[in-house]
Amino acid sequence: MSTALTIMAIAATVINPLLAIQTQKFIERYSQKKSLKIDIFKQLMATRSQNSRLSNEHVRALNMIDLAFYGKIKRGRTKRSDSESKVLSSWKLYFAHLNTSYPDNDNASGTIWNQTSNNLFLDLLSEIAKDIGYDFERVQLQTAIYSPIAHGAIENDKLKIRQGLAAIFSGENALKMEIINIPARQGN
């Protein structure tokens, strides 16, 4: 009987460190995945105002969604949670909408496009929040935003400047000049 106990003691001594290492690896993988999801959520929350959605941080966070919410690959098959599937479905809808052309000269259609965009983005943000365990109400995600009016004005000015310079450099418009005063020649 003591031989069996000795073998069991030796086996436990060998197996325990292996189990500890595997458990630690599992915890690290889970923590990294959760951290990536939280980082994406933080970036989207920080840039959720209409004026910030063209920022590099916002676009980068959107482009990481497919990776972060992909799920697990087991035996060559993808396994994802219901909440990850809902995030990916919301992202696909929002992504498809973002890839439709914005109606340039139609204010009514532009307003509808913007409203649809905002609703789809809020759906996505809400699903990500649920997946990572945050309990935000949709209205809170939509309205609890601090975005100074001046930021919007600055972005509009930058857009006008870029469009104006692009029109001049492409030859669509000419640079207008006006001579206000010609100084008198001083005596020779």
Side-chain angles (χ1 to χ4, degrees):
M1 183 117 165
S2 67
T3 309
L5 289 176
T6 305
I7 292 172
M8 286 175 51
I10 292 171
T13 305
V14 170
I15 292 173
N16 278 341
L18 293 174
L19 285 176
I21 290 170
Q22 290 301 320
T23 302
Q24 183 62 31
K25 285 183 179 181
F26 172 79
I27 291 169
E28 287 173 7
R29 281 192 306 267
Y30 176 79
S31 296
Q32 286 175 341
K33 187 172 183 174
K34 182 86 169 184
S35 291
L36 179 58
K37 289 178 177 183
I38 290 171
D39 288 345
I40 289 169
F41 184 71
K42 282 196 255 185
Q43 284 299 321
L44 293 176
M45 286 292 285
T47 58
R48 72 186 187 269
S49 74
Q50 292 281 345
N51 298 333
S52 300
R53 291 192 191 165
L54 293 178
S55 71
N56 288 334
E57 295 85 9
H58 188 83
V59 173
R60 189 175 302 117
L62 289 174
N63 284 322
M64 291 298 293
I65 290 172
D66 285 320
L67 178 64
F69 295 90
Y70 187 81
K72 298 174 193 166
I73 301 173
K74 287 187 178 180
R75 297 183 190 121
R77 292 188 168 198
T78 304
K79 305 276 186 186
R80 55 178 71 101
S81 66
D82 288 340
S83 61
E84 287 173 330
S85 293
K86 287 178 182 178
V87 168
L88 291 176
S89 292
S90 293
W91 168 230
K92 287 176 187 175
L93 289 171
Y94 185 47
F95 180 75
H97 175 72
L98 291 176
N99 283 300
T100 61
S101 58
Y102 181 83
D104 288 331
N105 296 324
D106 186 358
N107 286 339
S109 295
T111 300
I112 292 169
W113 192 96
N114 284 333
Q115 287 173 344
T116 302
S117 180
N118 195 45
N119 286 334
L120 291 171
F121 175 69
L122 289 172
D123 290 344
L124 173 63
L125 204 55
S126 179
E127 293 300 336
I128 292 173
K130 289 175 192 171
D131 180 77
I132 60 177
Y134 290 135
D135 186 24
F136 284 105
E137 293 179 16
R138 185 181 168 89
V139 70
Q140 185 179 9
L141 294 172
Q142 183 174 5
T143 59
I145 302 170
Y146 175 66
S147 180
I149 294 170
H151 285 185
I154 289 168
E155 289 302 315
N156 287 336
D157 289 347
K158 286 179 185 177
L159 178 63
K160 287 178 187 175
I161 291 167
R162 280 194 307 267
Q163 289 173 338
L165 289 174
I168 290 169
F169 292 140
S170 69
E172 292 175 32
N173 287 341
L175 185 61
K176 296 179 184 177
M177 295 180 15
E178 182 179 328
I179 300 173
I180 297 175
N181 188 6
I182 299 177
R185 290 178 113 208
Q186 294 185 353
N188 284 344

